[in-house]
Amino acid sequence: MIQQEWPLWEVFIRSKQGLDHKHVGSLHAADAAMAMQNARDVYTRRLEGVSIWVVESRHIHASNPDEAAEFFEPAADKVYRHPTFYDVPDSIKHM
Amino acid sequence: MATPDLSPAQLAAPTYPAELRSQLFQYVVQLADTSLILAHRLSEWCGHGPVLEQDLALSNIALDLLGEARSYYQYAAELEGRGRTEDDLAYLRSAVEYRNPLLVEQPNGDFAYTIVRQFLFDNFHYQLLKELKAGPDARLAAIAEKSLKEAAYHLKWSSEWLIRLGDGTPESRRRLDKAIAALWRFAGELTTPTPGESHLQELGLVPDYAALLPAMQAHVAHVLAEATVPLPTAPVAQLGGKTGRHSEHLGYLLAELQYLQRTYPGLTW
Amino acid sequence: METLAPDLSPEAQFQARIDADIRIEPKDWMPEAYRKTLIRQISQHAHSELVGMLPEGNWITRAPSLKRKAILLAKVQDEAGHGLYLYSAAETLGTSRDQMLADLHSGKAKYSSIFNYPTLSWADMGCVGWLVDGAAILNQVPLCRTSYGPYARAMVRVCKEESFHQRQGFEIMQTLCEGAPVQKEMAQEALNRWWWPTLMMFGPKDADSPNTEQSMKWRIKRFTNDELRQKFVDMMVPQAEFLGLKVPDDKVQWNEERQAYDFGEVDWEEFWNVVKGNGLCNHERLQARVQAHEEGAWVREAALAHAAKRKERAAVAA
């Protein structure tokens, strides 16, 4: 007997039109069609979504927490990327 | 819980002549019984499914069918106009008064049995609801419109599982073949009209089963081909459930279903 | 990663993050003991959801009205969902669901002992929802802020869905208590059986709970067993009074000074007995799970085999 588990899938749901898909959890399924149906049965029992993405977990590449410093900290001092960095005269509207 | 939103006009039972009203009552009760009994069977799986994800799927289908049954019972009670409720109809009628076809009362067996039973029913149910939705009775049309979306999903689910089991492992194939051999003979009753149904069909009030058959057969042929399963030679159809002549299984099912209402008559739960 | 104290050892850095209420995520460094404790606790929690389907599942086919049937089925189905969220959370720690199930089936992993008690009447559906879910919610709400991210997120989802469970249980009890005398008796009889086992759900007394201190330090746990038990009694005694039911403990009395209810001692011998596997339903609950899993093996294999065939065909066609 093959003692093998169904692959793990990550589930992303768009809760309403206009919003991003958001990671909601994971589940097991033998194939993509089943993963989609399982996602519907498991994660949208209370009208939580209008669109589902599933992706096999092994296809996800995650950043390494040990490299978090070099990955994310350089962005911390680039305040000029944020609009509040700039002073706009009060008399200027619509900016 | 699952009653579709109906306008007051739809909620008022149409003014059918008394005899027609009683015939339509029978028909709606039959729809209700069918969905309830299958929901009951599927609910027996809850907590015992082959994998957690499919446990949830089986319960979802059961809940859909239960909701549909309740909508039909409520309509039937109104058609009857004798003050009975959905629960009176479900809990206080005996097996000979139940009008579900034999197929849906058959025990769950193994997962292959459950899938074959579900597939045969879903294939019929989906086509029936499509017609009911376009039918002249506004109330039935409204219930069908809601249930059709659910039934489309059920049919997809059971079709895909039938294909997996047929074209899976030798063991799944052996079990599927056994389930087909045991259950195919109950499919014919779904589309064999009782005298009451024939009458309503002639009046154009309910869907004509003959019109459903081509689409049903095409889907069966498609799914079985995908499953690499040869089309079973048409077995002698087992009839009876729709006229109250059931298999032995229904009595036990109802004994369980109706236990509290029968033991403590007239109480509110 | 927010490095709060770069000069410290990984353990000390980890504890500093915990103390700063920064969530731990799957790929972050964590002490092996933290990982093990979490796997044990989350899988135990998941198993409880799974086994917990059985006592209530026992009444789905006998629910006394179509409405109750639908509610109960939806509730038990939710428990399957909760088990699934929790297994998924545990899987992020590097264990597999199959491994966790194998541990459950072999008896190595535990689940909540409450589910080793039988459900004997319809009022038990009321008690399980009202008392058992009530106790579970007290345990679970703090877990929404537990230190491990995936566990906390799973619990947020569980708690959100769980809120109707206790209400439906209370509604069943209320309907029975406002019904015929025979229904009220049914309700009281069920309360008599469920009260003490529910108090046991919070686990052994703090003095006898060896894991509590470390779990609190790691913020896996945020209240002690005895604190939660007291909270539960304080919550439930007035509710029982509202229903016109009597809690089966003569020592229950309002303590003005403590602003809390005094109550009697749990029968710890019974508690340990059931934990060790000698409850009425231990055997059949586990048996039911093992059977479902074993009888499902060919179904799971068939699905995998079919998926593999499809993939192969697609590859050939491409």
Side-chain angles (χ1 to χ4, degrees):
Chain A
M1 198 188 278
I2 334 160
Q3 281 298 352
Q4 200 192 341
E5 211 168 7
W6 286 352
L8 192 64
W9 299 71
E10 300 302 321
V11 181
F12 301 81
I13 290 182
R14 186 201 296 288
S15 58
K16 65 179 205 192
Q17 291 298 109
L19 296 184
D20 287 329
H21 285 76
K22 189 172 163 236
H23 183 244
V24 294
S26 53
L27 49 76
H28 289 271
D31 53 51
M34 193 200 281
M36 197 62 95
Q37 290 185 10
N38 290 351
R40 178 249 193 208
D41 285 327
V42 173
Y43 288 104
T44 68
R45 300 198 303 289
R46 288 173 170 78
L47 304 170
E48 290 95 336
V50 295
S51 163
I52 299 175
W53 289 348
V54 290
V55 59
E56 227 184 302
S57 308
R58 64 188 176 93
H59 292 313
I60 292 195
H61 298 269
S63 63
N64 186 342
D66 296 338
E67 292 162 5
E70 60 213 72
F71 249 67
F72 304 114
E73 280 171 25
D77 60 3
K78 296 185 178 61
V79 284
Y80 48 78
R81 282 187 181 279
H82 298 273
T84 47
F85 177 74
Y86 303 91
D87 285 331
V88 177
D90 289 346
S91 56
I92 299 295
K93 305 291 178 205
H94 309 298
M95 186 182 281
Chain B
M1 287 185 82
T3 314
D5 295 327
L6 298 171
S7 67
Q10 285 171 314
L11 274 166
T15 45
Y16 293 113
E19 201 190 326
L20 188 57
R21 209 179 164 85
S22 128
Q23 285 162 342
L24 192 61
F25 167 79
Q26 281 297 336
Y27 180 80
V28 177
V29 161
Q30 179 185 309
L31 292 173
D33 290 347
T34 305
S35 293
L36 173 63
I37 297 299
L38 188 54
H40 183 100
R41 281 293 186 221
L42 291 170
S43 78
E44 293 171 357
W45 271 106
C46 186
H48 307 276
V51 66
L52 211 37
E53 284 82 352
Q54 295 306 320
D55 213 302
L56 280 137
L58 286 158
S59 293
N60 261 350
I61 298 173
L63 282 167
D64 287 344
L65 291 171
L66 189 52
E68 187 187 358
R70 292 182 66 191
S71 300
Y72 290 138
Y73 279 131
Q74 287 158 12
Y75 182 35
E78 286 166 39
L79 280 171
E80 188 187 43
R82 282 173 36 202
R84 286 207 277 184
T85 65
E86 56 170 17
D87 286 333
D88 293 335
L89 290 170
Y91 286 86
L92 301 175
R93 282 181 309 131
S94 63
V96 289
E97 293 169 277
Y98 259 76
R99 287 291 179 271
N100 60 281
L102 295 168
L103 176 73
V104 295
E105 71 199 39
Q106 299 310 304
N108 286 342
D110 63 10
F111 192 69
Y113 266 68
T114 293
I115 290 298
V116 171
R117 185 185 63 197
Q118 195 64 34
F119 173 71
L120 290 172
F121 174 73
D122 291 342
N123 191 31
F124 163 73
H125 192 212
Y126 175 69
Q127 296 298 337
L128 177 75
L129 290 174
K130 254 166 83 175
E131 294 296 317
L132 267 183
K133 184 185 153 193
D137 186 285
R139 188 72 176 273
L140 281 178
I143 300 171
E145 185 173 3
K146 173 175 188 294
S147 300
L148 181 63
K149 295 168 200 155
E150 300 166 347
Y153 180 77
H154 303 167
L155 181 60
K156 192 169 149 70
W157 180 84
S158 59
S159 300
E160 284 178 9
W161 267 111
L162 196 137
I163 293 166
R164 284 191 193 101
L165 299 185
D167 189 25
T169 61
E171 179 174 13
S172 69
R173 178 54 178 273
R174 180 180 63 75
R175 288 175 183 264
L176 181 71
D177 286 344
K178 214 170 137 192
I180 287 175
L183 293 171
W184 218 260
R185 65 206 166 105
F186 296 115
E189 185 180 15
L190 299 173
T191 49
T192 306
T194 61
E197 287 176 296
S198 293
H199 181 64
L200 293 173
Q201 287 176 356
E202 281 157 22
L203 293 173
L205 202 53
V206 306
D208 184 352
Y209 293 145
L212 312 181
L213 278 169
M216 283 174 60
Q217 285 162 349
H219 187 67
V220 167
H222 166 72
V223 170
L224 288 189
E226 287 272 305
T228 72
V229 173
L231 205 62
T233 45
V236 177
Q238 292 291 340
L239 308 175
K242 294 202 292 189
T243 53
R245 297 196 174 182
H246 291 278
S247 62
E248 292 175 349
H249 304 295
L250 186 65
Y252 292 96
L253 188 157
L254 291 181
E256 208 173 324
L257 179 94
Q258 300 178 336
Y259 149 72
L260 273 166
Q261 291 274 2
R262 298 286 197 183
T263 312
Y264 305 101
L267 301 186
T268 304
W269 301 91
Chain C
M1 164 157 76
E2 287 118 300
T3 318
L4 293 166
D7 304 332
L8 296 177
S9 68
E11 284 84 357
Q13 277 185 40
F14 175 82
Q15 190 59 49
R17 297 184 72 197
I18 298 269
D19 293 342
D21 252 337
I22 296 168
R23 293 277 187 281
I24 306 303
E25 293 297 341
K27 294 183 83 185
D28 293 344
W29 185 90
M30 60 185 83
E32 203 41 39
Y34 175 84
R35 181 189 302 274
K36 276 199 177 133
T37 302
L38 272 175
I39 291 179
R40 183 174 53 81
Q41 183 175 331
I42 301 174
S43 66
Q44 191 169 316
H45 195 160
H47 297 330
S48 299
E49 297 283 353
L50 195 61
V51 177
M53 296 173 76
L54 300 170
E56 287 177 286
N58 183 33
W59 280 88
I60 292 172
T61 54
R62 289 180 289 172
S65 73
L66 296 179
K67 179 182 125 189
R68 292 278 176 226
K69 199 182 182 67
I71 294 173
L72 186 60
L73 179 55
K75 173 182 192 277
V76 181
Q77 185 202 33
D78 273 348
E79 282 152 19
H82 299 170
L84 198 150
Y85 309 153
L86 289 161
Y87 283 125
S88 299
E91 280 173 279
T92 62
L93 290 159
T95 182
S96 70
R97 195 196 292 177
D98 263 4
Q99 181 58 51
M100 290 184 269
L101 289 178
D103 288 345
L104 171 68
H105 298 159
S106 72
K108 189 179 153 205
K110 298 281 179 235
Y111 56 88
S112 178
S113 280
I114 193 77
F115 304 120
N116 291 320
Y117 290 85
T119 51
L120 302 176
S121 81
W122 174 249
D124 289 30
M125 295 305 98
C127 278
V128 170
W130 172 47
L131 294 177
V132 175
D133 290 333
I137 291 169
L138 277 184
N139 265 322
Q140 290 170 354
V141 167
L143 288 175
C144 296
R145 295 182 297 126
T146 195
S147 60
Y148 187 57
Y151 190 22
R153 290 193 287 274
M155 288 315 301
V156 167
R157 187 170 273 275
V158 168
C159 287
K160 214 153 92 191
E161 298 187 357
E162 193 92 16
S163 57
F164 101 81
H165 292 186
Q166 199 195 5
R167 287 181 191 190
Q168 67 89 34
F170 187 78
E171 193 188 85
I172 290 175
M173 294 304 278
Q174 198 181 351
T175 308
L176 291 175
C177 290
E178 289 168 359
V182 64
Q183 289 173 298
K184 182 140 191 195
E185 279 165 36
M186 201 184 266
Q188 181 65 57
E189 191 273 338
L191 175 59
N192 293 347
R193 277 184 290 110
W194 287 96
W195 177 255
W196 289 106
T198 311
L199 292 191
M200 295 177 198
M201 282 175 72
F202 298 98
K205 286 167 90 87
D206 292 349
D208 303 320
S209 178
N211 300 323
T212 293
E213 197 194 333
Q214 181 64 69
S215 286
M216 300 270 289
K217 196 172 162 223
W218 278 334
R219 300 203 182 168
I220 294 174
K221 224 171 149 166
R222 287 180 172 259
F223 295 98
T224 72
N225 297 351
D226 287 336
E227 282 169 359
L228 289 171
R229 196 168 5 248
Q230 179 69 55
K231 224 172 170 177
F232 179 76
V233 172
D234 292 345
M235 208 169 82
M236 287 301 166
V237 170
Q239 292 184 11
E241 276 167 10
F242 173 88
L243 291 171
L245 298 176
K246 195 184 165 324
V247 168
D249 177 359
D250 291 336
K251 296 213 170 70
V252 163
Q253 205 179 1
W254 179 250
N255 184 325
E256 195 56 41
E257 197 179 314
R258 289 202 303 126
Q259 286 293 300
Y261 281 94
D262 291 335
F263 57 99
E265 189 68 27
V266 169
D267 180 350
W268 294 111
E269 196 182 322
E270 176 182 324
F271 171 78
W272 290 113
N273 216 9
V274 180
V275 168
K276 283 176 190 147
N278 300 315
L280 179 61
C281 299
N282 291 62
H283 181 76
E284 63 201 83
R285 297 287 187 245
L286 206 52
Q287 187 54 37
R289 285 314 316 159
V290 170
Q291 193 178 335
H293 190 73
E294 285 177 355
E295 288 178 358
W298 70 269
V299 179
R300 298 190 298 273
E301 280 165 29
L304 274 183
H306 180 72
K309 284 183 192 178
R310 285 231 149 155
K311 215 174 246 178
E312 207 169 296
R313 268 176 234 148
V316 170

